[in-house]
Amino acid sequence: MMKKQILILIFMVFLISSCETNDLELSNPTAISTTTFPTNLEELKGGVNATYSPLQTQGLYGRYLFYMYDYMGDDVQTERGTPDLLAFKNFTFRASNNDIFLYWKNAYIGVSRANFILDKQDNIAALDAGEVSQEMKDKFIGEAKFLRAYYYFLLVERFGDIPLYTPENLDPNGLPRTPKEEIYQLIISDLTDAGSKLLLKSEEEPGRATKGAAYALLGKVHLFRGEYQEAKVAFNKVINSGEYTLTTEYFDNFDSAHENNSESVFEVQFVYDNGNPWGYAGWDGLDNGYVETTWRSAEYGAVGGFHNNDPSEELVNEFEAGDPRLHASFYFAGDAYSSGTITQEQIGVGISATWRKYQRSHTVSSDYSGLSDINHRAIRYADVLLMAAEAENEVGGNPVGLLNQVRTRAAMPLYGSADMNPTYPVTTSAEIFTAIVHERRVELAGEQTRFPDLLRWNMMSIIPAFQAGKHEVLPIPQTEIDTNLSINSSDQNTGY
Amino acid sequence: MKKIPTKKSVTKNNNYRNRDNILAIFLFLFFVVFSQVYATPKGLATQQRQIKGVVTDTDNIPLSGVNVLVVGTTIGTETDFDGNYTIKAKEGDVLQFSFIGMKTKLITISKNNQVNMIMEDNADTLNEIVIVGYGSQKKTNVTGAVATVSAKDLVSAPTTNAVEALQGRSSGVTVINNGSPGSAPTIRIRGIGTLGNNNPIYVIDGIVTENMDGLSPDDIESISVLKDASTAAAYGSLGANGVIVVKTKTGKNGKTTFSFNSYLSTRFKPKKIDLLNSEQYVSYVTDMIRNNDPGADLPPRFANTNFISNNVDYQDAIFQQGTANNYELSASGGTENANFRLSGNYLTQEGTMLHTALDKYAFRVNSNFKKGRITFGETLALTYAEQDPLILAFSVSPIENAIKIAPYLPIYDANNVGGFSELSATDDVNTTRNPLRTLNRETQLNKNINLLGTVYGKVDITKNLTYKATLGMNFYDNKFKKVELPYGLSGGDPSQSDTRISYANARVNTITINNSLEYTKTFNENHNVKALVVAEQRKRKTTVLSGVGTTPFGITDLPSNLSGGAQALEYNVVGYLGRINYDFAGKYLLAVSLRRDASSRFGANYRWGNFPTVAAGWVLSKEDFLKDSSSMNYFKLRASWGLAGNDRSAGDYAFESSLLPNYFYGNNSGLATSSLPNPNLKWEETAMTNIGVDLGFLSSKITFSAEYYNNTSNDLIVLLPPAGSLGVPNDTPFNIGGMKTDGLEFNLGYRKSEGEFHWSASFNLSTTNNEVTQLAPNVEQLFNGSKPNVLASGSISRIAEGEALWHFYGWETDGIFQTQAEIDAHATQTGAAPGDIRFKDINNDGVINDEDRTVIGNPFPNVNYGLSLNADYKNFDFTALFTGVSGNDIFNASRYYLDGASQITNTSTAVLDRWTPTNPSTTQPRAIINDPNQNTRVSNRYVEDGSYFRLKNISIGYNMPTTMLSNISKGTISKLRVYVSAQNLFTITNYSGYDPEIGPSLGIASITGSQNSEIGVDRGQYPQSKSLLLGFQIKF
């Protein structure tokens, strides 16, 4: 009797203490572990893919980046747009401007994702060589390095000194601002390393970073820093690779039918996701990377778009008579678009032209409907040639041949030829510089190059609202100051 | 000399000692368990014989289901339908007769084999058995804070949701109702203690659940609300917000009884607010536009005012007379060894607003089987509900649209898609959507299946030691489908050409396994010990599927092109509880418990939490010096302290970071983290102190109790955005908040019988204050829906250290500028003109800006009270319940458009007295579009006193006399009661809106992810209204 009871009791105590505590070790069943990443090629590729997706966000090529370059140059006229957007044109932006914060935050999301990949180099190295070859492993690391450099360049160019995060230096409370020179050194070393690891464009899937993209960006960074010899070396690697040619049709660079063409060096991909142009579940927030469409067409467009950016009269007048790029870049009253003829009413009173570049009205009835899936050609070969020409000019070489490659494609008279417009002689280095300034403005109109060009050429004084000593950089976003424990208001850029 | 260092070392080692004490408690527990095994009874007494008898009430009516127990043994039985019982006992044994609502009686067996008993109504509720966590207790022995509501209270005033029935019944329990059929009221126990999830948990027949919406009030036998640590912390990690313990009815020993209850009720339309008629509207809008610009164009519609005689009462049109019909059938019965109860319930309800309704079907089977030492039983409840909820159109309540819409707009227009009129954005300028169209063409249906089942086995290992195992399952399936049909002006604004459909399906399955050992023994007559050990685990799995789709083809069910997402979540908890209740002769009471819980929501280092409690009581009335007091029959002092936890403000997996496949690049899938992990995430913890006194006078004719409580919460979870440069999109949870809640609670009861007239009254009152004691180190303030420190000037609710949670924050008004000279004399206020509101320069810097905002209101009442009256005379019974709150503020956001006078919408007639050069109003500013002075900024202009006193319920019933019943029905019908009752018959309040009970905010997003963030802000929530109810209860 007693024994039986003891047995029962022991059994009960056993039952009581039999709760399984290992059930408490739960991980998200619909997610992949960060600790073991990557366990295979697909995971590795997925992690790198997600490092590209911040390019598509609203702060960057999804929307606001365009304004933050184009509005601050002299190629635009408008009184429309939200107060936060008009602030870029009027140089009245403040630290509280939310578009600046989105640009900052989305670029830093890119940095953090690149750092995540670079932090996992040991795991990547440990992947079975039969599944992922050493060449592929290097290539993915090269992509992460290229993208980290790309995002840091977007940041350092616009904000100056910024927090420098690397896998070795991550603080969850936020890091203080680092002198911009250190940022540039990281960018240069990342791009140099990426250039040696990445694949050639002909070997790579469209849309991904390549050797050519890395050297083009490296050249651009050196050029912007006035390191012309280094710039020239980098650009020559692109030019001599034989991977790039200018397209026959200039406009092939701005539509969805000719994406990732021979002129494309680095191109931000936009697609209609699963047939739903509005992206996943309708309106998506700011940072998730679900949406793969851009507002570029809707924002600038006059045909069913917001009509927030009209080309300035100076820009339109900059084109030489008969330049076919004029009607490729802009619609004028009477020009045909997909659904008829553009009217002056659509363009607006007192405005001579509206954008055609990157506009959907080229193929569909409205710039707006379904947003835009036109890839953004962030670096194209024509730009590389013009930058190479500039570097060549600065080191005392003869860049006219480079310039004339661009002229030839445009079917315009060549610099230095008899039928060339006498306004642009190319006998001296200074004259060549003037020709480059002209050619860049025309060839790259509305491609976010004019403002940084004017800035590095010290020509911003032509814009009255620009205050030297202040507007070279944007303010550090107020939200960053509020949330980063290592940055406070006294660390703000001068004048803000 | 050496004594001093020794002492020091003792104090130093206190921490270790505490741990030793806890260990000692467990050792003691196991010691008593084992000692019991060895101390098995030596054999059964030999002189036992059959004792029989009849138990009746004072009217000599037999009572069935009375518990009869031989004191000190497990021998017990229940009386049958005719009040008969038989039990084995021996001479000198004491029989205990107990029955809910009656005094427990004791009688010592003499030589007589026939022992009859007359039970008396329980004038003194002290011997009531109170259900607490993992067991029950005599009320006299309770050392913590427990409020109880009996089945009688639940049924006397029928409600559609059991939570509603708790309103006004007990101090410290606040219920805020809303008028929406099928939407549960908000319940708070002792105010608010966290920035996150403040809902209490529910324990239904031993199983923890998140709500009791599936329960039919008729199936409930009793509800206990555990308010302090010594009671609630038995649920450790879930106890911090209080615990509501529900026991459902089981069958009673005796003949099978059927009971059928039904009621029909009518809900009347809520009150109306006086609005402008078409003529007034046109003149008001004209004035408003011209004040801004004398030459401005008027809405083109005004060019021809032949519509001026149209006056549509949209308030009248969106409301209807609501109905509720309830049918409840149950059968119960049993024998000594088995009992059962099964019930079915159908409730159909139509709300007072069009297209709001609820249909609910509930089924329940409870049964228990006994053989020897083993008891085995189950509960099984299945509920299916279809709810047509209140839905918002573009985040705007239909009530708001009914007020704002131009009164001249006819409801219908056959030329429009869908047949409803709309205001044209160009012709009418007023952009309000037609609320009749949104109510008819934007519909939502929520289908819920809720299955709650338990099986338990209980073994009396010895007469003192019981083992119990319970297995519970709670399955919940919610389907949501919203259909927005096309509408509007063909090709015009507003319009929608496609049908939009959104769909979601959430499934939650929770398995609970619970094992417990309970040991009860009296040592040396007076030392009563009850010891309990429990091991429990809970596993929950949630899956969610959702999608949206649009179709131009008129498909109104799920279209095949639905695109969507999915989510799967798991959440497991393991817990152990040890508890010892000790009392010496019912005089000195002590309760000690320790709960140790682990939650999968936290990382390995912070997964476990310890939740100790201690409570003591002293029943002074049992002391010699008070024992003979003629007036005071009961006097108890009690105190408790303990820690309770909360892991429900934390999300799943927040402690780790993982890669989600939610990112794409050029149609390639990507993997990335969306948030920073917080591996140090841990329990929210609340330290609760409770001190109480209970008094009974004149044989408990008068009872009084008072309590003081003080809850201090720490490590509260606040979601903070990481530094933007860290590059993670989502906010991270941190344990950084602190809150303090304290208050007083009083309960006063009185009961009296004079012949056949019995009446009783009970009054309860509680005060509560809450204060945020700590926010994040670098965060001064948090505004609703905004990032920390961002001075969101449109936000009403704010958190800041030293203030009540979610207080209202804005500007203070100071009358109306009558002249330009007054404006010039005042601090710089941009845009001000005569007729505009003067705002106070709070910081005296000579300019009115964001910095001049201040605390302008507190949404929490200082005082909640309830008064219930019960009386019966002969066959009539009467009950009334008054409830009220005092001292809270309501931010009447509806007044932005009711008297804001800055937008082209219809408004209340208050604007007829607006300031004009000829009518120098001092209360209502001028009408002007664009609001240059920001007269409508968040200010105390909209803050109103939210106090109210309401006759919540009044009922009168008639019981057909038993003799008449048995004559008519030839003994088949044992009870027939008909009753009539009215709800919300009158409300005394100064609040100008529809209803001073402001339901939960209408889905406004919040920074803490909870719905708390806008408390007491009226944005056109569904109001309650008066209702009249007719019902009957029949037993046969």
Side-chain angles (χ1 to χ4, degrees), chain B residues 558-581:
Chain B
L558 301 180
S560 55
N561 64 343
L562 205 67
S563 75
Q567 202 181 17
L569 299 168
E570 283 180 290
Y571 165 45
N572 294 344
V573 174
V574 169
Y576 301 95
L577 168 70
R579 181 170 70 193
I580 294 176
N581 292 79

Tab-separated table of all heavy atoms in Angstrom, chain B residues 558-581:
chain	number	residue	atom	x	y	z
B	558	LEU	N	-13.504	36.588	-52.748
B	558	LEU	CA	-12.059	36.650	-52.936
B	558	LEU	C	-11.701	36.461	-54.405
B	558	LEU	O	-11.965	35.413	-54.983
B	558	LEU	CB	-11.392	35.563	-52.107
B	558	LEU	CG	-11.667	35.644	-50.622
B	558	LEU	CD1	-10.958	34.514	-49.891
B	558	LEU	CD2	-11.259	36.992	-50.070
B	559	PRO	N	-11.089	37.451	-55.028
B	559	PRO	CA	-10.710	37.290	-56.432
B	559	PRO	C	-9.435	36.466	-56.532
B	559	PRO	O	-8.650	36.414	-55.594
B	559	PRO	CB	-10.463	38.727	-56.876
B	559	PRO	CG	-10.061	39.455	-55.655
B	559	PRO	CD	-10.692	38.751	-54.492
B	560	SER	N	-9.245	35.831	-57.665
B	560	SER	CA	-8.094	34.944	-57.789
B	560	SER	C	-6.775	35.703	-57.904
B	560	SER	O	-5.721	35.125	-57.747
B	560	SER	CB	-8.275	34.035	-58.998
B	560	SER	OG	-8.509	34.837	-60.127
B	561	ASN	N	-6.849	37.002	-58.140
B	561	ASN	CA	-5.589	37.759	-58.242
B	561	ASN	C	-5.194	38.408	-56.923
B	561	ASN	O	-4.450	39.380	-56.891
B	561	ASN	CB	-5.691	38.826	-59.335
B	561	ASN	CG	-6.742	39.868	-59.017
B	561	ASN	OD1	-7.604	39.649	-58.163
B	561	ASN	ND2	-6.683	41.002	-59.677
B	562	LEU	N	-5.710	37.867	-55.818
B	562	LEU	CA	-5.352	38.374	-54.502
B	562	LEU	C	-3.846	38.250	-54.314
B	562	LEU	O	-3.267	37.208	-54.581
B	562	LEU	CB	-6.070	37.503	-53.474
B	562	LEU	CG	-6.387	38.066	-52.102
B	562	LEU	CD1	-7.426	39.164	-52.241
B	562	LEU	CD2	-6.936	36.953	-51.217
B	563	SER	N	-3.201	39.317	-53.852
B	563	SER	CA	-1.781	39.175	-53.552
B	563	SER	C	-1.582	39.471	-52.089
B	563	SER	O	-2.238	40.343	-51.530
B	563	SER	CB	-0.952	40.118	-54.410
B	563	SER	OG	-1.075	41.434	-53.941
B	564	GLY	N	-0.731	38.716	-51.466
B	564	GLY	CA	-0.670	38.878	-50.025
B	564	GLY	C	0.590	38.388	-49.382
B	564	GLY	O	1.612	38.155	-50.025
B	565	GLY	N	0.499	38.240	-48.084
B	565	GLY	CA	1.650	37.834	-47.298
B	565	GLY	C	1.240	36.853	-46.221
B	565	GLY	O	0.074	36.522	-46.083
B	566	ALA	N	2.218	36.383	-45.492
B	566	ALA	CA	1.953	35.396	-44.461
B	566	ALA	C	2.926	35.567	-43.306
B	566	ALA	O	3.969	36.204	-43.450
B	566	ALA	CB	2.079	33.996	-45.039
B	567	GLN	N	2.549	35.019	-42.191
B	567	GLN	CA	3.366	35.136	-40.997
B	567	GLN	C	3.130	33.904	-40.139
B	567	GLN	O	2.007	33.396	-40.081
B	567	GLN	CB	2.910	36.379	-40.228
B	567	GLN	CG	3.949	36.915	-39.298
B	567	GLN	CD	3.441	38.140	-38.546
B	567	GLN	OE1	2.257	38.397	-38.484
B	567	GLN	NE2	4.359	38.874	-37.965
B	568	ALA	N	4.155	33.419	-39.487
B	568	ALA	CA	3.985	32.323	-38.533
B	568	ALA	C	4.766	32.659	-37.284
B	568	ALA	O	5.911	33.117	-37.366
B	568	ALA	CB	4.485	31.016	-39.132
B	569	LEU	N	4.158	32.508	-36.141
B	569	LEU	CA	4.795	32.874	-34.882
B	569	LEU	C	4.596	31.766	-33.866
B	569	LEU	O	3.528	31.156	-33.814
B	569	LEU	CB	4.165	34.162	-34.312
B	569	LEU	CG	4.244	35.431	-35.135
B	569	LEU	CD1	3.322	36.481	-34.553
B	569	LEU	CD2	5.666	35.937	-35.181
B	570	GLU	N	5.606	31.537	-33.064
B	570	GLU	CA	5.466	30.585	-31.967
B	570	GLU	C	5.833	31.278	-30.672
B	570	GLU	O	6.686	32.164	-30.653
B	570	GLU	CB	6.409	29.400	-32.172
B	570	GLU	CG	5.931	28.413	-33.197
B	570	GLU	CD	6.911	27.279	-33.346
B	570	GLU	OE1	8.013	27.524	-33.873
B	570	GLU	OE2	6.594	26.167	-32.926
B	571	TYR	N	5.203	30.820	-29.602
B	571	TYR	CA	5.407	31.470	-28.305
B	571	TYR	C	5.172	30.420	-27.235
B	571	TYR	O	4.069	29.874	-27.146
B	571	TYR	CB	4.416	32.634	-28.203
B	571	TYR	CG	4.202	33.240	-26.848
B	571	TYR	CD1	5.263	33.529	-25.995
B	571	TYR	CD2	2.916	33.570	-26.435
B	571	TYR	CE1	5.031	34.119	-24.769
B	571	TYR	CE2	2.677	34.159	-25.209
B	571	TYR	CZ	3.746	34.428	-24.369
B	571	TYR	OH	3.508	35.014	-23.155
B	572	ASN	N	6.201	30.088	-26.489
B	572	ASN	CA	6.082	29.049	-25.463
B	572	ASN	C	6.452	29.586	-24.100
B	572	ASN	O	7.353	30.411	-23.967
B	572	ASN	CB	7.008	27.866	-25.794
B	572	ASN	CG	6.571	27.157	-27.057
B	572	ASN	OD1	5.447	27.343	-27.528
B	572	ASN	ND2	7.453	26.359	-27.612
B	573	VAL	N	5.770	29.084	-23.109
B	573	VAL	CA	6.030	29.507	-21.733
B	573	VAL	C	6.070	28.270	-20.854
B	573	VAL	O	5.268	27.345	-21.013
B	573	VAL	CB	4.927	30.459	-21.236
B	573	VAL	CG1	5.111	30.781	-19.768
B	573	VAL	CG2	4.909	31.737	-22.050
B	574	VAL	N	7.003	28.245	-19.923
B	574	VAL	CA	7.064	27.187	-18.924
B	574	VAL	C	7.050	27.862	-17.562
B	574	VAL	O	7.705	28.890	-17.382
B	574	VAL	CB	8.362	26.363	-19.085
B	574	VAL	CG1	8.574	25.443	-17.903
B	574	VAL	CG2	8.316	25.570	-20.374
B	575	GLY	N	6.290	27.311	-16.621
B	575	GLY	CA	6.249	27.936	-15.309
B	575	GLY	C	6.089	26.932	-14.189
B	575	GLY	O	5.531	25.847	-14.373
B	576	TYR	N	6.634	27.286	-13.034
B	576	TYR	CA	6.485	26.477	-11.822
B	576	TYR	C	5.964	27.371	-10.718
B	576	TYR	O	6.388	28.523	-10.602
B	576	TYR	CB	7.828	25.888	-11.391
B	576	TYR	CG	8.447	25.012	-12.443
B	576	TYR	CD1	9.391	25.526	-13.333
B	576	TYR	CD2	8.079	23.679	-12.562
B	576	TYR	CE1	9.948	24.735	-14.320
B	576	TYR	CE2	8.643	22.872	-13.547
B	576	TYR	CZ	9.576	23.399	-14.419
B	576	TYR	OH	10.114	22.617	-15.389
B	577	LEU	N	5.072	26.832	-9.929
B	577	LEU	CA	4.539	27.607	-8.813
B	577	LEU	C	4.596	26.759	-7.560
B	577	LEU	O	4.225	25.582	-7.556
B	577	LEU	CB	3.081	27.989	-9.102
B	577	LEU	CG	2.283	28.560	-7.927
B	577	LEU	CD1	2.763	29.952	-7.561
B	577	LEU	CD2	0.792	28.607	-8.256
B	578	GLY	N	5.072	27.370	-6.478
B	578	GLY	CA	4.979	26.743	-5.162
B	578	GLY	C	4.253	27.699	-4.243
B	578	GLY	O	4.529	28.903	-4.275
B	579	ARG	N	3.291	27.222	-3.473
B	579	ARG	CA	2.528	28.146	-2.627
B	579	ARG	C	2.150	27.445	-1.328
B	579	ARG	O	1.771	26.270	-1.342
B	579	ARG	CB	1.269	28.576	-3.366
B	579	ARG	CG	0.414	29.567	-2.570
B	579	ARG	CD	-0.683	30.147	-3.414
B	579	ARG	NE	-1.716	29.169	-3.726
B	579	ARG	CZ	-2.662	29.347	-4.646
B	579	ARG	NH1	-2.683	30.451	-5.375
B	579	ARG	NH2	-3.568	28.423	-4.871
B	580	ILE	N	2.267	28.160	-0.254
B	580	ILE	CA	1.829	27.624	1.029
B	580	ILE	C	0.894	28.629	1.674
B	580	ILE	O	1.213	29.821	1.774
B	580	ILE	CB	3.028	27.355	1.955
B	580	ILE	CG1	3.878	26.230	1.356
B	580	ILE	CG2	2.552	26.967	3.349
B	580	ILE	CD1	5.126	25.948	2.124
B	581	ASN	N	-0.283	28.149	2.049
B	581	ASN	CA	-1.201	28.958	2.843
B	581	ASN	C	-1.233	28.342	4.224
B	581	ASN	O	-1.423	27.136	4.377
B	581	ASN	CB	-2.611	28.909	2.263
B	581	ASN	CG	-2.688	29.607	0.936
B	581	ASN	OD1	-2.300	29.052	-0.086
B	581	ASN	ND2	-3.171	30.818	0.942
